[in-house]
Amino acid sequence: MTLLVIGLSHRSAPIDLLERTTLGEDRARTLRSVLATSQQLREVLVVTTCNRTEVYADVVTFHGGVGEISQALADVTEVDAPVLRDHLYVHHEDRAVSHAFSVACGLDSMAIGESQILGQLRSSLRTAQSCDEVGPELNALFQRALRVGKRAHTETELDDVSLSLVSAGLEEAERHVGPLTERSVLVIGAGAMSALSVATLTRSGAAEVIIANRTQAKAEHLARAYAARTVAWEERVAALVSADVVVTCTGASGRIVGRDLAEQVAAARHHRPQAYVDLALPLDVDPSVGEVEGVQVVGLSRLGEIMARDGMVPAQVQQVRDLVVEEVAAYLAARRVQAVAPTLTALRSRARAVVDAELERLDTRTPEMDEATRKQVALTVHRVVEKILHTPTVRVKEMADKDVTGSYAEALHRLFDLDPHTVAAVSAANVEPPVEIGHQDA
């Protein structure tokens, strides 16, 4: 077993490349189909979100797995392989586990701490399970990752980090347009980040908060919670004209506000200062909109720079990083124990077979032995064997923290002359089927 993750995100690739490699349902399905035919991959799971495209796999060989996954990504996204490889990251074994847990916690998201990633990972796992593309390795990894992500959000105040991101964006907008208490704000979208933006605007006393969303019912539900008002999606252009600040965070694959529309809106406003806070990826607002007279655009890249510059990454992040380190260590220890367990099972089976054979031989040679004595002899022999095997069994738990169980298992093979085919059979018998995860897992 070799665990591997290959992908690209906002940390490794420019936004324009991320947009080109974003996988919709059709391309994600195509990628999974291509990878499913690979002889190098035993299990595979594709994760695609607004700011990352990743492939997790249990591969036969490291280099073979990297080569096939990289080429499949290039083929499906139609990005030249050399260009794509310059921005791909590769994590192997322990680092792959750490990366999966960090992603689940939102530590690797552009909006640090965002919780939507949990739902996206859960959806990716369910899809892979339904297509029979994952087995015990990736099922175990992702179910543990989902639990770690949930723990990060329930045991720390990580959710406040997203609030810092929204606050930083609104502060930048306020510097450009003036106090929000005297300004109208349009929020486009009705998801988690949009709700956080509406809540922040309400607390800061924005003069007016308007919500526009493709699904009117969602917009109205959000508006009722914060005494905001809504406009129909078809009326968003008029709403743009009246808004001094526009906050966007949708899942659209194309631009919500392009250069032409921004110029039209700016002209209708007589070029009064207007700010767009774009919290989406792919971007909702074309970067060139910032070149329009009177208009400022603040995107996630800019907000990341601001937060890093001002030291706005709070203590909660370090708490979660420590939690991830703890969880990774525990997961790897359990995994090492699980790896040697088939050897111990084979060892005990071998011992039982030897004991049974010797007791049968004793029965043949001492037919005069009474039943009570025979039972006592059998019990004594079993106790002796159990005591001999006790120490090797205990040592597995002790050595799990030292990452030497592999050499320990090999020593047991040699010392007790265990049949490798028996160990393999035990391993196969211990493989558990994929477990469907419900809402309670994350």
Side-chain angles (χ1 to χ4, degrees), residues 152-167:
H153 285 280
T154 56
E155 296 183 16
T156 75
E157 297 179 346
L158 183 64
D159 293 346
D160 290 346
V161 183
S162 291
L163 177 60
S164 298
L165 186 80
V166 172
S167 297

Side-chain angles (χ1 to χ4, degrees), residues 140-220:
L141 174 66
F142 271 75
Q143 298 217 35
R144 185 62 170 266
L146 289 168
R147 287 194 288 271
V148 173
K150 182 177 180 180
R151 185 183 170 199
H153 285 280
T154 56
E155 296 183 16
T156 75
E157 297 179 346
L158 183 64
D159 293 346
D160 290 346
V161 183
S162 291
L163 177 60
S164 298
L165 186 80
V166 172
S167 297
L170 294 176
E171 287 173 10
E172 281 293 293
E174 200 167 27
R175 291 189 185 96
H176 183 68
V177 304
L180 294 178
T181 53
E182 303 172 7
R183 299 293 182 265
S184 174
V185 183
L186 171 65
V187 177
I188 302 179
M193 287 296 285
S194 296
L196 185 58
S197 299
V198 172
T200 304
L201 287 163
T202 301
R203 284 195 300 269
S204 64
E208 183 180 40
V209 180
I210 307 166
I211 303 170
N213 189 58
R214 290 182 188 276
T215 305
Q216 183 68 14
K218 290 184 178 180
E220 291 174 352

Side-chain angles (χ1 to χ4, degrees), residues 390-404:
H390 176 72
T391 298
T393 302
V394 171
R395 286 289 180 268
V396 170
K397 297 179 181 179
E398 294 177 351
M399 299 174 78
D401 293 332
K402 302 176 183 178
D403 198 15
V404 291

Side-chain angles (χ1 to χ4, degrees), residues 219-243:
E220 291 174 352
H221 177 76
L222 178 57
R224 282 194 298 271
Y226 295 99
R229 73 180 181 90
T230 67
V231 294
W233 185 252
E234 296 75 17
E235 299 172 3
R236 66 189 181 282
V237 174
L240 283 169
V241 173
S242 65

Side-chain angles (χ1 to χ4, degrees), residues 354-364 374 377-379 381-382:
V354 171
V355 168
D356 291 344
E358 290 302 318
L359 289 176
E360 185 176 345
R361 183 175 301 159
L362 181 64
D363 288 343
T364 302
R374 197 177 304 280
V377 170
L379 181 61
V381 173
H382 279 294

